[in-house]
Amino acid sequence: MSENTDRYENAVARYFEAWNAGEPEALAKAVAAAWSVEGTYTDPLATVTGHTEIAGLIAGAHAQFPGFAFRPLGTVDGHHDTARFSWELVSGADGSAPVAGFDVITLDADGRIRSVLGFLDRVPA
């Protein structure tokens, strides 16, 4: 179990590195480290495939929520090639967290993300 737990936690750490990367070059590098080439991301607001589209989605979130960062909530749980975790989007200015949710990821043999299914638990009005 420990080997898989480390695998899940490492994948989720790379996932948050990507979501919190600010500069385009750092974002592209972080997305490539976290996702497989054909990786996907799907949530209620978007469905994208591949590094370029995933990086564009993340850049769009940064544009919509400047000064915010994604952070994990609780622990990562998983089995086989699948893991789930909760997160929130937090303001660096006042600590508010207007957006929260949980994601389910599927990993490839190298531990990179093949797919993300995102769920939104809290969104701004």
Side-chain angles (χ1 to χ4, degrees):
M1 180 75 174
S2 176
E3 180 179 320
N4 280 335
T5 299
D6 289 347
R7 183 172 181 241
Y8 306 140
E9 289 176 356
N10 289 337
V12 171
R14 288 191 308 273
Y15 176 85
F16 282 103
E17 287 174 20
W19 275 98
N20 289 319
E23 298 300 317
E25 186 175 313
L27 174 56
K29 185 177 180 179
V31 167
W35 271 270
S36 64
V37 172
E38 68 283 349
T40 64
Y41 178 93
T42 303
D43 71 15
L45 305 174
T47 299
V48 296
T49 300
H51 292 171
T52 301
E53 289 184 9
I54 292 167
L57 176 72
I58 292 170
H62 285 270
Q64 185 175 2
F65 294 96
F68 283 74
F70 287 87
R71 73 175 175 200
L73 290 174
T75 58
V76 177
D77 180 33
H79 60 83
H80 296 88
D81 290 330
T82 304
R84 66 179 176 167
F85 55 93
S86 296
W87 53 267
E88 63 184 354
L89 182 62
V90 181
S91 168
D94 64 12
S96 64
V99 183
F102 79 92
D103 292 348
V104 177
I105 61 173
T106 304
L107 304 177
D108 68 10
D110 295 327
R112 293 193 318 172
I113 298 169
R114 276 194 325 236
S115 67
V116 176
L117 295 176
F119 297 83
L120 300 173
D121 297 327
R122 181 174 61 240
V123 295

